[in-house]
Amino acid sequence: MRTLSNWLIRGLSICHFAWGTILLLLAAWIIISAFHVLSYMSSGAFPTRLLTAMILALLHAAPFGLLGLWMVSLGRRTWKGHVRLRKALIVTHGLLLPPGLLAVILGFYGMRAAERSASQGGGLLSPYAVVPLLIGVPLVLLALLAIASALTIVPKQGTSP
C-alpha cells in the first residue's frame, strides 16, 4: 500500500508533466503563429520574410519551450525519485517563484486598469489583462507546492526514499 508521501510525490510529478505540456503547446502555438503570418507580410522578399518569421518564432517560443522541456524532465525525475531531486526542485522553483509572483501582481494591476478603462467607455483590450494571471497563478501554486514538498517529503541526497 502506498503512503501519503508517495501519493504526494506522484501528484507533484503529474503537475510537472501537465505544466510542461502546457508550456510546450504554448511554444508550438507561437511558432505556428509566427509562420502563419508569413504570407501576410508585405515588405521584403520571401527569404527575408522567412528569416524574420524564424527569428520571431525563436525569440518568443524558445523560453516557453525550454522551460516546458525542463518541467517535463523534472516531472520524470520526480516520478523516478532521482538522487538530487530535492536540490533540483528547490533551485528550479525558487527561481520561478519571483516571476510568478510578479505576473500575479501585474495581472491584478492590469485588471484594475481594465476596469477603470471600461468604466470610461474604453476597455477594448481589457480581457487580455487576465493573461498574466493565467500564467502566474499556476506557476506560483506549483512553485509553492514543489518547494514545500521538497523541504518536507523528498528525502535528502544520500538517504534512501
Side-chain angles (χ1 to χ4, degrees), residues 5 7 10 15 23 37 43-44 69 75 85 87 90 108 149 161:
S5 64
W7 284 107
R10 298 292 182 185
C15 287
L23 288 172
V37 295
S43 63
L69 286 174
L85 175 63
K87 182 179 179 182
I90 291 173
F108 280 127
S149 298

Short mmCIF file of all heavy atoms in Angstrom, two decimals, residues 5 7 10 15 23 37 43-44 69 75 85 87 90 108 149 161:
data_model
loop_
_atom_site.label_atom_id
_atom_site.label_comp_id
_atom_site.label_asym_id
_atom_site.label_seq_id
_atom_site.Cartn_x
_atom_site.Cartn_y
_atom_site.Cartn_z
N SER A 5 2.94 10.18 1.42
CA SER A 5 4.06 10.90 0.80
C SER A 5 4.30 10.42 -0.63
O SER A 5 4.63 11.22 -1.51
CB SER A 5 5.32 10.78 1.64
OG SER A 5 5.75 9.43 1.70
N TRP A 7 2.00 9.29 -2.67
CA TRP A 7 0.92 9.86 -3.47
C TRP A 7 1.19 11.34 -3.77
O TRP A 7 0.91 11.82 -4.87
CB TRP A 7 -0.43 9.70 -2.78
CG TRP A 7 -0.96 8.31 -2.85
CD1 TRP A 7 -1.02 7.41 -1.84
CD2 TRP A 7 -1.49 7.65 -4.00
NE1 TRP A 7 -1.56 6.23 -2.27
CE2 TRP A 7 -1.86 6.35 -3.60
CE3 TRP A 7 -1.69 8.03 -5.33
CZ2 TRP A 7 -2.42 5.43 -4.48
CZ3 TRP A 7 -2.24 7.11 -6.20
CH2 TRP A 7 -2.60 5.84 -5.78
N ARG A 10 3.88 11.56 -6.45
CA ARG A 10 3.30 11.22 -7.77
C ARG A 10 2.44 12.38 -8.29
O ARG A 10 2.48 12.71 -9.47
CB ARG A 10 2.46 9.95 -7.68
CG ARG A 10 3.21 8.72 -7.28
CD ARG A 10 4.16 8.29 -8.32
NE ARG A 10 4.82 7.06 -7.87
CZ ARG A 10 5.77 6.46 -8.49
NH1 ARG A 10 6.20 6.94 -9.62
NH2 ARG A 10 6.31 5.38 -8.01
N CYS A 15 1.76 17.08 -11.91
CA CYS A 15 1.64 18.54 -12.09
C CYS A 15 2.77 19.07 -12.97
O CYS A 15 2.54 19.94 -13.81
CB CYS A 15 1.66 19.24 -10.73
SG CYS A 15 0.16 19.05 -9.77
N LEU A 23 3.23 24.37 -21.44
CA LEU A 23 4.26 25.29 -21.94
C LEU A 23 4.76 24.87 -23.32
O LEU A 23 5.01 25.73 -24.18
CB LEU A 23 5.42 25.36 -20.95
CG LEU A 23 5.14 26.10 -19.65
CD1 LEU A 23 6.29 25.93 -18.68
CD2 LEU A 23 4.87 27.57 -19.91
N VAL A 37 1.66 34.03 -40.24
CA VAL A 37 1.61 35.41 -40.74
C VAL A 37 2.62 35.66 -41.85
O VAL A 37 2.67 36.75 -42.40
CB VAL A 37 1.82 36.43 -39.61
CG1 VAL A 37 0.71 36.38 -38.61
CG2 VAL A 37 3.16 36.27 -38.94
N SER A 43 6.45 43.50 -46.79
CA SER A 43 7.72 44.07 -47.24
C SER A 43 8.80 43.00 -47.31
O SER A 43 8.86 42.10 -46.48
CB SER A 43 8.16 45.19 -46.30
OG SER A 43 8.39 44.68 -45.03
N GLY A 44 9.66 43.12 -48.30
CA GLY A 44 10.80 42.24 -48.44
C GLY A 44 10.50 41.02 -49.29
O GLY A 44 9.36 40.68 -49.57
N LEU A 69 10.32 21.83 -21.59
CA LEU A 69 11.17 20.63 -21.60
C LEU A 69 11.75 20.35 -20.22
O LEU A 69 11.82 19.19 -19.78
CB LEU A 69 12.28 20.78 -22.63
CG LEU A 69 11.90 20.65 -24.09
CD1 LEU A 69 13.07 20.97 -24.98
CD2 LEU A 69 11.37 19.25 -24.37
N GLY A 75 9.51 16.48 -14.00
CA GLY A 75 8.43 15.55 -13.68
C GLY A 75 8.89 14.10 -13.75
O GLY A 75 8.52 13.28 -12.92
N LEU A 85 16.92 15.12 -6.49
CA LEU A 85 15.61 15.70 -6.76
C LEU A 85 15.32 16.89 -5.86
O LEU A 85 14.81 17.91 -6.33
CB LEU A 85 14.52 14.63 -6.58
CG LEU A 85 13.09 15.11 -6.71
CD1 LEU A 85 12.84 15.62 -8.13
CD2 LEU A 85 12.13 13.99 -6.38
N LYS A 87 17.30 19.11 -4.47
CA LYS A 87 18.02 20.30 -4.90
C LYS A 87 17.43 20.85 -6.19
O LYS A 87 17.26 22.07 -6.34
CB LYS A 87 19.50 19.97 -5.10
CG LYS A 87 20.33 21.15 -5.51
CD LYS A 87 21.79 20.77 -5.65
CE LYS A 87 22.61 21.96 -6.09
NZ LYS A 87 24.02 21.59 -6.29
N ILE A 90 14.09 22.65 -5.40
CA ILE A 90 14.25 23.91 -4.67
C ILE A 90 14.85 24.99 -5.57
O ILE A 90 14.38 26.13 -5.59
CB ILE A 90 15.09 23.70 -3.40
CG1 ILE A 90 14.29 22.87 -2.40
CG2 ILE A 90 15.51 25.02 -2.79
CD1 ILE A 90 15.07 22.44 -1.18
N PHE A 108 -3.16 41.61 -11.39
CA PHE A 108 -4.10 42.36 -10.56
C PHE A 108 -4.13 43.83 -10.95
O PHE A 108 -5.21 44.42 -11.06
CB PHE A 108 -3.75 42.22 -9.08
CG PHE A 108 -4.22 40.93 -8.47
CD1 PHE A 108 -3.34 40.11 -7.80
CD2 PHE A 108 -5.54 40.53 -8.58
CE1 PHE A 108 -3.76 38.92 -7.24
CE2 PHE A 108 -5.98 39.35 -8.03
CZ PHE A 108 -5.09 38.54 -7.37
N SER A 149 7.02 20.50 -0.75
CA SER A 149 7.24 19.05 -0.85
C SER A 149 8.72 18.71 -0.77
O SER A 149 9.09 17.71 -0.14
CB SER A 149 6.67 18.52 -2.17
OG SER A 149 5.28 18.72 -2.23
N PRO A 161 14.77 6.68 -0.21
CA PRO A 161 13.38 7.12 -0.05
C PRO A 161 12.58 6.17 0.82
O PRO A 161 12.82 5.03 0.92
CB PRO A 161 12.83 7.16 -1.47
CG PRO A 161 13.78 6.42 -2.32
CD PRO A 161 15.07 6.32 -1.59
#
